[in-house]
Amino acid sequence: MAPPRWKSCDGRRRRLLLLLCCCLLAFPCHAQQVTNNNISHRSDQGGIHSFVGTYGINYGRIADNLPPPEVVVRLLKLAKIRNVKIYDAEHKVLDAFRGTGLNLVVAIPNEFLKDMAANPAKAMDWLNENVQPYYPSTRIVGITVGNEVLGGADTGLAEALVGAVLNVHDALRMLRLDTKIELSTPHSEGVFANSYPPSACVFKDELMVYLRPLLDFFSKTGAPFYVNAYPFLAYMSDPSHIDINYALFKPNAGIVDPKTGLHYDNMFDAQLDAAYFALEAAGYSGMEVRVAETGWASAGDATEAGANMENAVTYDRNLRKRLFLRKGTPYRPDRVAKAYIFALFNENLKPGPTSERHYGLFKPDGSVSINIGLKGLLPSSAPPHPLLPFKVQHALGSFLVPLTFAIHNLEGWHYHPTPSIVYWGV
């Protein structure tokens, strides 16, 4: 027997009333979600994912014998290096990185800073020329404004740094990229008054007039403090008092910080913690420290103690192992150490002592120079070949590269019947 119609309608009313109550209850939850999203968005400014994992590399190009950027991309993928930092915004590099998924940090060289500080339009012009046409297909995750500006002899450049950083940030905000691209500036160890023991490290008083506004700004955006940390340079400056095993991550007695009682068995961790202590003393204990450059020269002048291939292999290999542990330092165990190694290639035109031209993990032909277990384009035991030019055809155009690339059967290369022409597989 069918139920009376009024009972059936009453059931429907109850269901409709229940549905209406659920909808009303949903409104305040929705409003709360919007608020939380806004807070999350603001916190994203302090959490731009500019670094995947813990290991990156500096791709310097002060040389006349390097492979084209398209080949460099292939090398980076073979070596499984995803974080790359360059020292300018060369368009050929930006084009080559399109669609690769590799994280790329570009740079505004020091010579642009004074103009950018004086004229905000210069910052916007630079972004419109070097970032807007490429992002996001080229995964530009960061911009460094200058390099090792503070502590140098040019006080005018130091005075311009803060203004340039602020103007670039304002331009990024106008382009709605300020929460997508990290802004930073790398420092040398020269910004510290002292670094031993780590707990005694503080910034130089005379630099605080420039550092204070920078650190205030970066503490608001959430950007890390980037430092170029070289145990090699520290050892070279005082080899009679520094245990080279301590500098190379090899077994040693280490040091104990007399103030904190913390034990350090390698100089890299000690240099990182020194920066953390300096930041804490200045009032920025929550700021992360990342290493913008570190490495060891595989050759040097007679006066450059420790610059040889054996030490370079030991340091770079042990550094990679240490970073892959994904752990922090004795003073900041919860802050995973991250670093860009210097450098991808030996750069034969770099000025200065011999060591400056011998930091590269790879030779210009793509073979391994400092063997730390990375895969190169050529076997490291491959015999040398004359670097005669040949023409490469690519979707982006044609260019000349060394003949060395044409005579090895590499995955991703397609050979034309003419021996001098090779096609890059896309």
Side-chain angles (χ1 to χ4, degrees), residues 123-136:
M124 181 60 79
D125 290 344
W126 191 91
L127 293 176
N128 282 332
E129 180 181 350
N130 300 297
V131 175
Q132 276 285 80
Y134 301 95
Y135 184 88

Side-chain angles (χ1 to χ4, degrees), residues 4 22 40 51 59 86 91 103 114 127 140 144-145 153 176 200 212 218 231 240 257 265 328 334 338 341 371 374 413:
C22 290
S40 175
F51 204 111
Y59 171 20
I86 60 177
H91 291 184
N103 283 349
K114 292 180 182 179
L127 293 176
I140 300 172
T144 58
V145 182
R176 298 184 179 180
R212 180 71 64 189
F218 289 135
S240 60
D257 189 305
D265 59 12
D334 57 334
K338 301 177 181 180
I341 196 169
N371 188 356
L374 299 180
W413 290 82

Side-chain angles (χ1 to χ4, degrees), residues 64-66 348 363-366 378 384-390 401-405:
D64 60 5
N65 59 354
L66 299 184
N348 67 337
K363 299 175 185 177
D365 64 0
L378 305 179
H385 295 277
L387 297 179
L388 301 176
F390 74 96
V401 301
L403 177 63
T404 309
F405 291 107

Side-chain angles (χ1 to χ4, degrees), residues 196-228:
Y196 182 83
S199 63
C201 187
V202 292
F203 293 113
K204 290 179 177 176
D205 286 339
E206 64 270 25
L207 296 181
M208 286 307 297
V209 64
Y210 313 117
L211 276 167
R212 180 71 64 189
L214 270 178
L215 296 174
D216 281 343
F217 172 75
F218 289 135
S219 67
K220 293 173 183 175
T221 64
F225 179 87
Y226 280 92
V227 63
N228 296 337

Side-chain angles (χ1 to χ4, degrees), residues 58 85-89 105-117 126 142-151 154 156-166 168 182-188 191 214 218 224-228 292-293:
N58 287 281
K85 187 158 72 69
I86 60 177
Y87 293 89
D88 53 19
V105 175
V106 298
I108 300 174
N110 290 356
E111 56 264 30
F112 293 101
L113 301 192
K114 292 180 182 179
D115 283 345
M116 285 190 180
W126 191 91
I143 299 172
T144 58
V145 182
N147 183 47
E148 296 191 343
V149 171
L150 301 184
D154 191 341
L157 191 62
E159 291 168 355
L161 179 58
V162 176
V165 168
L166 294 176
V168 173
E182 179 186 271
L183 202 59
S184 63
T185 185
H187 302 283
S188 74
V191 299
L214 270 178
F218 289 135
F225 179 87
Y226 280 92
V227 63
N228 296 337
E293 291 181 16

